[in-house]
Amino acid sequence: MRKLLVAVMSVLAFGISTGTAAGSPLPFPEIFATNNTATITDPDDPRLRDRLVRFDHEVRGIVLANGGATAGSTLLDGVFWSGDRQQLTFERSRKFDVTLNEQSLRHAAGTVAKRFRQESVLTFRFLPASSPAVDAVQVEVPGVTAQQVRQGLLNDAVARETLGGGSITLQDKAILIADVDDLPVVRAFVTGIGGDMGKAKVRRGTWEFVSASAETALWSKRNAA
């Protein structure tokens, strides 16, 4: 109960302290992760129906161990383009909204990558649009299905190579993350698959693909101190 209370207080405190200059709070940092290590090429593969409940609990524990709390967890269907194999691949994953600072976010993501044998885990930190640290953009588009994203990637070679893929919630909301300079490509892709950019939510921030080595390096640094 004490851990739960501390976690809830952390969420409230983090929400207050991450406001922009205008006073409105920024969304929580995010971790995009999966426990999948297989290459799935069939969109009807039964493994894509896994709700990742145990994985959800385990990642929440990792976040808590790093001094944060999980403010939300969203189940996602991922559609990705493999340039090496020249084919689409699919996986179930989760997006975790967490109360972690930059260093703890990287350490938690590295721990997830190591524990679940992932090459890397994606993190996204929201920043004020005017921040010089902005290097990425996240675009959320309601009313877009996994099938639309899948077909769009097959039809659009530029988006395929630039975006690499995207994630879709079970409520048919696409989440696309890209380099900030590639926002025009995202807009063209969304329009091309029948999405409405007028209803899209566009936010700026910074992204990082964190490998297991990041967790190991930080552990070594702490123990050397």
Side-chain angles (χ1 to χ4, degrees):
M1 178 61 72
R2 184 175 180 277
K3 283 187 176 181
L4 178 60
L5 180 60
V6 170
V8 172
M9 290 177 67
S10 297
V11 169
L12 294 175
F14 194 90
I16 293 171
S17 64
T18 56
T20 64
S24 58
L26 293 169
F28 294 110
E30 299 172 336
I31 296 174
F32 292 80
T34 182
N35 62 355
N36 177 60
T37 57
T39 299
I40 302 175
T41 58
D42 179 4
D44 296 319
D45 191 298
R47 288 173 291 183
L48 299 176
R49 294 193 288 272
D50 189 343
R51 295 191 64 84
L52 303 181
V53 175
R54 182 175 177 180
F55 176 69
D56 179 36
H57 295 327
E58 290 183 283
V59 173
R60 287 174 183 267
I62 291 172
V63 171
L64 188 62
N66 279 274
T70 303
S73 174
T74 306
L75 189 62
L76 302 171
D77 287 318
V79 182
F80 305 101
W81 173 253
S82 173
D84 294 338
R85 299 185 180 90
Q86 292 293 296
Q87 64 183 3
L88 286 177
T89 60
F90 311 96
E91 69 180 19
R92 268 285 169 94
S93 63
R94 279 189 174 272
K95 177 177 74 70
F96 299 89
D97 307 307
V98 299
T99 65
L100 294 170
N101 61 29
E102 182 178 358
Q103 184 181 48
S104 296
L105 179 67
R106 183 179 296 114
H107 183 238
T111 302
V112 173
K114 183 176 181 180
R115 181 172 300 181
F116 298 101
R117 295 177 293 150
Q118 301 296 308
E119 290 186 7
S120 64
V121 167
L122 174 63
T123 66
F124 191 94
R125 289 190 301 115
F126 296 93
L127 298 170
S130 59
S131 170
V134 167
D135 61 10
V137 63
Q138 181 176 130
V139 181
E140 293 185 356
V141 191
V144 172
T145 66
Q147 171 61 28
Q148 284 174 283
V149 173
R150 183 163 61 241
Q151 195 59 49
L153 289 174
L154 288 173
N155 295 340
D156 189 336
V158 174
R160 236 181 6 238
E161 298 301 328
T162 303
L163 306 181
S167 299
I168 305 89
T169 70
L170 302 193
Q171 291 73 42
D172 292 339
K173 179 174 68 177
I175 302 175
L176 305 172
I177 299 178
D179 188 279
V180 67
D181 293 333
D182 291 324
L183 181 55
V185 176
V186 177
R187 292 183 183 276
F189 177 72
V190 169
T191 302
I193 64 176
D196 185 352
M197 278 301 298
K199 297 180 180 179
K201 187 175 292 183
V202 181
R203 299 191 183 103
R204 287 168 171 75
T206 182
W207 61 348
E208 183 176 4
F209 287 92
V210 183
S211 67
S213 61
E215 185 272 343
T216 303
L218 186 54
W219 183 89
S220 300
K221 181 178 178 180
R222 283 177 172 174
N223 282 270

